[in-house]
Every structure is written in C-alpha cells, then in structure tokens.
C-alpha cells in the first residue's frame, strides 16, 4: 500500500512537471520492474481471483516451455526463488566496465548459491539483447543459443564444469522447473506475471524486461508508401504492441492513438459512477460485462490494451489536442460522464486533429519544416475522414447491446463526418476545443 501511494505521488509530479506520456510510461515500466525484482512472494497466497491467477500461470508456463520464448527478468525471479539462487545481473557502462544492474534473491529462504549474469543491451551485435555469465570473475560467452541464451547462461553458471550437451539439457530442465513452479503456486506468481505483461505493453518497456537474443529482424523504414499503408488503421492497442514487435522500426514513425484517450474514459467514471457511456467503454477496456470494478485500475496501468486505437504519424500525433492539452482531456471526460454520445465522438475526432487546423493564430507546428513532415501531414489528412468514420463504427460495434449508443447516434455522427463538420468554424464543438488550446 505504501509503495502504491509513493508511486502515485511520483507519477503525479511527472505528469504535472514534465507533461510527457512517454516519461510516465517509462516510469511505470521501471516501477513494474522493481516489483518483479524485489517484492517478496508468498507461496501460500491464494488470490481472490483464483481463476485469473491459474489462467495467467498456465499461459506463461506454456510459453516458457517453448524454446522459442525468450527469458525475461520474471523468469530469473521465478528460478531464483525456486532454485534458492541469488542472481546478480551486470551490464557494461559507457566505459566498458561491468556494473550491477539488478540483484534478485529468494524471498522465502536464504540463498544456497550465487550466480552472476552479464546482460548485453540491444546493439548491432545483439539486436535483441543477450546474456552471458560470469564464472571466476571472467565473462563466459553463451553463443548461438537464440531465444534460450538466458537459460543457457543460468545453466552454465549453476554447472560451470558440465559439457555443452549437459548444459543444453540443464537449460531445458530449468524451463520445466519454472513452468512447474508457476503451476504449483499460481497465487504467488499472478501479480508478477501481470506486471510483466503491463511492462511489455508499454512503449520502451522492453528496456526493463531484458529479453535474450533472437534472430535479427530487419527494421522497417519510413516511406510514403509505408505511411499510406499504415495511417488510418483501426486496431486494439494490444494488437499494435504485437505488430510493433514483429515489425521493428514501425514505432519510430507510427503511433497508435487511443480515441478517446484512456485518461478521459477513466476520469469520466470518477466524475460520475452512474455514467452508462463510461461504464460501457470500461467494459470494452476490461473485457468484462457486467463491469468488474476491480479490473478498472488495470486499464490505466496497461494503458488500455483492450481499447481501439488509430494508427497515425508519430510527428502528427505529438500535436493533437488530446496529446498536448490536459484541459481538452478533462472536457472530453465530462462529455463521456454525462452520456453525451454524439458530443463525445465529435470531441474525440476534433481532439485528433493537428492544432493549427483548429486555431491558426498560435505558434503551433504547421509541418512545413521538411518534405517528410509535409508528407506525414498530407497522408494523415487524406485518411482523416475515413478513419474517423471507421473509428466511430468500431465503437458502435463494440458497445452494441449495452444500451448506450443507438443507430440514431451513429447516423448523426457519421453525417457530421461526411459533411466535414470538424472543419466548420461555426461548429460549437469545434469552438469548444479551439478555446481550450
């Protein structure tokens, strides 16, 4: 409880002081990482959502038995606890010196053995990161082990004199040992697995998960053709995360924009717990119907994994009112809280325009600094009408049967989009957004 309160205070300062969603995401990634590393575990704990705990443990156990699944800090923690091993993780600093990055120890019993790993961050040599092991204060390379480099490093550290064939068998055995531990004590490991998933859902969160090496993937480069192909796609945020991992480099020029923003949906429920629209949106966000209130806190922590997003150019995304203006997000939250369906989606669409289109007498980015900036803006605006229409239709489909969004609502909003009401300078919703910039 104390840790949660401290994290809340720190996050609040970050939001007010730095006004950076990116910084806040990295802060959450670091907090989740420290929880996995240091929070004591109780083998006798029984989570009040037993079915959830069992499902999470079974899912991760299945993955970790697969030699194509890379190990992370979570797997080190489980094996540290299970084998009674203190594991120190070193990494090289800017001068090439080995410095301590993490230290994991069993929380239930004193460590019976010590082991030191050397983590190699992502680089040209190690596109996905890599683990070696320190034996007698000398780094021992773990070469050509692909996704199993972490488990081979652990096996070599535990049995330094074994042959390569024996180490391969030991690495496989460690995967099974971990899987059995997860299945034996699902209540103990459920919060750790959750935080691992939350961290992987955060842009940049992989910095904190320390995955082992995998086959190099060719990075996707930004081109006019690629922009045209990606911009305007409607996808759940969880699918975007998978797509970005499978297509490295995409996140350098494309962002997945939550429409409406996650914070507005959560704030709406705080403003009015009887809001049917806020409840329906949170049912989508938690995949629970009726809404399970206990799951709402996860929507913020995992940044709305189950919510739909629109793919937009990264540079353009940085200049949306929904990205830049806290007052806009609060105004949108109020519309959601009062069950104003038409107003909510009109504001959502206006909040996903570049600011100079809404208020051109300010010093806003006009995207003329380079040919690529012009291309990004042009591609986005050519897609705007259609992807706004698709976004509203998608929400209508997701909330069908919840008694919130009617066919009349959909027709009214769609007609407004078709008539480009968002460009009408006499439109009251447009004027509301403009006044907040």
């Amino acid at each position: 409880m104390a840790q949660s309160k401290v994290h809340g205070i720190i996050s609040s300062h970050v939001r007010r002081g730095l006004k950076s969603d990116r910084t806040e995401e990295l802060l959450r990634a670091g907090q989740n990482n420290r929880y996995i590393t240091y929070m004591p575990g109780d083998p006798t704990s029984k989570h009040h959502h037993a079915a959830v705990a069992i499902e999470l443990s079974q899912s991760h156990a299945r993955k970790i038995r697969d030699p194509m699944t890379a190990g992370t800090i979570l797997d080190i923690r489980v094996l540290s606890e299970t084998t009674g091993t203190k594991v120190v993780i070193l990494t090289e600093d800017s001068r090439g010196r080995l410095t301590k990055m993490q230290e994991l120890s069993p929380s239930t019993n004193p460590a019976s053995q010590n082991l030191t790993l050397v983590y190699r961050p992502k680089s040209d040599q190690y596109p996905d990161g890599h683990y070696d092991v320190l034996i007698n204060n000398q780094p021992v390379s773990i070469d050509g082990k692909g996704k199993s480099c972490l488990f081979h490093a652990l096996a070599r550290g535990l049995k330094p004199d074994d042959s390569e064939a024996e180490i391969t068998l030991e690495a496989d055995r460690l995967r099974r040992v971990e899987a059995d531990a997860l299945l034996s004590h699902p209540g103990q490991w459920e919060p750790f697995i959750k935080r691992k998933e939350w961290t992987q859902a955060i842009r940049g969160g992989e910095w904190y998960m320390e995955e082992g090496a995998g086959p190099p993937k060719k990075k996707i480069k930004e081109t006019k053709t690629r922009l045209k192909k990606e911009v305007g796609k409607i996808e759940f945020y969880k699918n975007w995360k998978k797509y970005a991992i499978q297509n490295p480099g995409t996140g350098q020029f494309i962002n997945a924009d939550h429409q409406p923003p996650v914070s507005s949906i959560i704030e709406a429920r705080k403003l009015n717990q009887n809001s049917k629209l806020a409840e329906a949106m949170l049912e989508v966000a938690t995949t629970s119907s009726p809404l399970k209130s206990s799951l709402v806190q996860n929507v913020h922590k995992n940044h709305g994994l189950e919510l739909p997003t629109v793919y937009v150019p990264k540079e353009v995304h940085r200049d949306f009112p929904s990205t830049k203006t806290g007052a806009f997000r609060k105004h949108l939250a109020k519309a959601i809280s009062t069950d104003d369906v038409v107003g909510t989606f009109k504001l959502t669409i206006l909040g996903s325009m570049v600011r100079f289109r809404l208020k051109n007498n300010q010093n806003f980015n006009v995207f003329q600094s380079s040919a690529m900036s012009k291309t990004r803006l042009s591609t986005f605006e050519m897609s705007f009408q259609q992807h706004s229409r698709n976004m509203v239709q998608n929400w209508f489909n997701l909330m069908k049967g919840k008694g919130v969004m009617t066919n009349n609502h959909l027709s009214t909003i769609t007609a407004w989009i078709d008539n480009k009401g968002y460009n009408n300078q006499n439109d009251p919703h447009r004027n509301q957004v403009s006044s907040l910039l």
Side-chain angles (χ1 to χ4, degrees):
M1 290 173 65
Q3 184 188 54
S4 178
K5 188 165 185 175
V6 170
H7 286 173
I9 293 169
I10 294 172
S11 297
S12 176
H13 281 294
V14 169
R15 282 193 294 272
R16 290 201 305 269
L18 299 179
K19 297 181 176 63
S20 166
D21 288 343
R22 171 69 166 159
T23 303
E24 190 177 354
E25 284 185 334
L26 291 175
L27 175 63
R28 288 202 302 273
Q31 290 169 347
N32 290 339
N33 171 265
R34 289 189 66 80
Y35 183 102
I36 292 170
T37 304
Y38 298 112
M39 185 60 71
D42 180 5
T44 63
S45 65
K46 298 184 184 298
H47 197 273
H48 59 285
H49 291 302
V52 175
I54 292 170
E55 183 180 348
L56 281 171
S57 291
Q58 287 176 339
S59 175
H60 192 68
R62 281 195 301 270
K63 291 176 185 175
I64 214 59
R65 285 195 182 103
D66 184 350
M68 294 308 294
T69 301
T72 70
I73 196 74
L74 170 65
D75 306 304
I76 300 174
R77 175 64 200 272
V78 177
L79 287 170
S80 169
E81 199 77 51
T82 307
T83 63
T85 306
K86 175 182 174 181
V87 181
V88 175
I89 307 174
L90 307 179
T91 193
E92 290 184 350
D93 62 16
S94 58
R95 297 181 181 179
R97 296 176 301 192
L98 291 176
T99 59
K100 190 194 306 187
M101 185 170 69
Q102 301 276 1
E103 181 177 307
L104 301 93
S105 296
S107 61
T108 52
N109 292 298
S112 58
Q113 54 192 337
N114 297 331
L115 186 154
T116 303
L117 300 176
V118 179
Y119 175 64
R120 313 289 186 185
K122 295 181 180 182
S123 64
D124 291 339
Q125 184 180 0
Y126 302 112
D128 294 290
H130 182 75
Y131 281 102
D132 289 325
V133 64
L134 205 69
I135 298 175
N136 296 326
N137 290 322
Q138 295 297 319
V140 175
S141 296
I142 305 296
D143 296 325
K145 303 306 179 186
K147 294 289 186 180
S148 281
C149 71
L150 169 59
F151 294 94
H152 277 261
L154 289 167
R156 175 58 69 191
L158 292 170
K159 298 188 174 183
D161 298 323
D162 279 11
S163 67
E164 278 299 311
E166 290 170 325
I167 292 301
T168 297
L169 292 174
E170 177 65 9
D172 291 341
R173 189 189 72 84
L174 289 174
R175 284 185 181 272
R176 294 195 301 274
V177 166
E178 180 186 350
D180 291 343
L182 293 170
L183 296 174
S184 299
H185 304 290
Q188 175 185 3
W189 295 113
E190 184 236 15
F192 296 86
I193 297 171
K194 272 188 175 179
R195 280 164 175 80
K196 180 240 183 190
E197 292 182 348
W198 293 340
T199 303
Q200 288 183 324
I202 295 170
R203 291 174 294 169
E206 69 275 3
W207 293 5
Y208 295 95
M209 292 311 297
E210 297 124 18
E211 290 199 1
K217 294 180 181 178
K218 187 176 180 181
K219 285 195 174 182
I220 291 174
K221 294 183 180 179
E222 181 179 13
T223 64
K224 291 181 181 180
T225 302
R226 177 63 65 175
L227 278 170
K228 190 174 180 181
K229 179 182 177 182
E230 302 296 347
V231 170
K233 284 183 180 178
I234 310 292
E235 270 291 359
F236 291 111
Y237 191 56
K238 63 180 180 182
N239 293 342
W240 156 251
K241 300 305 298 180
K242 294 177 184 176
Y243 182 76
I245 292 170
Q246 293 167 358
N247 298 271
T250 307
Q252 296 302 309
F253 61 93
I254 293 290
N255 278 174
D257 180 43
H258 285 86
Q259 296 183 18
V262 178
S263 61
S264 294
I265 297 173
I266 294 172
E267 180 65 22
R269 183 121 192 287
K270 292 178 181 177
L271 291 172
N272 179 14
Q273 290 201 345
N274 295 317
S275 167
K276 292 182 178 178
L277 181 55
E279 182 167 332
M281 287 182 162
L282 284 170
E283 284 184 2
V284 172
T286 60
T287 64
S288 65
S289 184
L291 177 64
K292 292 182 180 178
S293 299
S294 60
L295 300 178
V296 173
Q297 60 179 341
N298 296 344
V299 178
H300 171 70
K301 288 179 179 178
N302 64 28
H303 200 51
L305 277 181
E306 302 289 343
L307 289 171
T309 62
V310 180
Y311 290 8
V312 297
K314 186 174 183 177
E315 182 184 10
V316 173
H317 186 221
R318 288 173 176 166
D319 213 64
F320 287 174
S322 60
T323 304
K324 288 288 188 180
T325 310
F328 167 79
R329 293 190 292 274
K330 290 180 181 178
H331 184 69
L332 177 55
K334 188 174 180 181
I336 298 172
S337 73
T338 57
D339 296 334
D340 180 2
V341 175
V342 172
T344 290
F345 286 104
K346 285 184 178 181
L347 289 170
T348 296
I349 291 165
L350 290 160
S352 60
M353 295 174 67
V354 289
R355 291 182 297 172
F356 86 93
R357 294 296 192 199
L358 295 162
K359 198 170 188 177
N360 59 17
N361 61 346
Q362 300 291 320
N363 188 28
F364 295 142
N365 187 355
V366 294
F367 302 92
Q368 300 298 308
S369 60
S370 68
M372 185 51 79
S373 289
K374 295 176 185 178
T375 298
R376 291 165 185 152
L377 178 64
S378 173
T379 305
F380 169 73
E381 294 192 329
M382 282 192 293
S383 165
F384 190 81
Q385 186 179 50
Q386 185 60 51
H387 74 235
S388 296
R389 191 185 293 118
N390 293 344
M391 180 271 293
V392 174
Q393 180 66 55
N394 190 51
W395 268 108
F396 177 77
N397 296 339
L398 289 169
M399 294 194 293
K400 196 171 287 185
K402 298 185 185 298
V404 174
M405 191 174 184
T406 66
N407 286 314
N408 286 337
H409 290 143
L410 178 63
S411 298
T412 300
I413 301 163
T414 302
W416 181 79
I417 296 170
D418 291 343
N419 293 324
K420 297 187 178 180
Y422 45 81
N423 285 336
N424 181 359
Q425 296 190 5
N426 294 316
D427 183 87
H429 291 95
R430 179 188 165 99
N431 289 335
Q432 287 170 11
V433 176
S434 176
S435 69
L436 298 172
L437 301 180

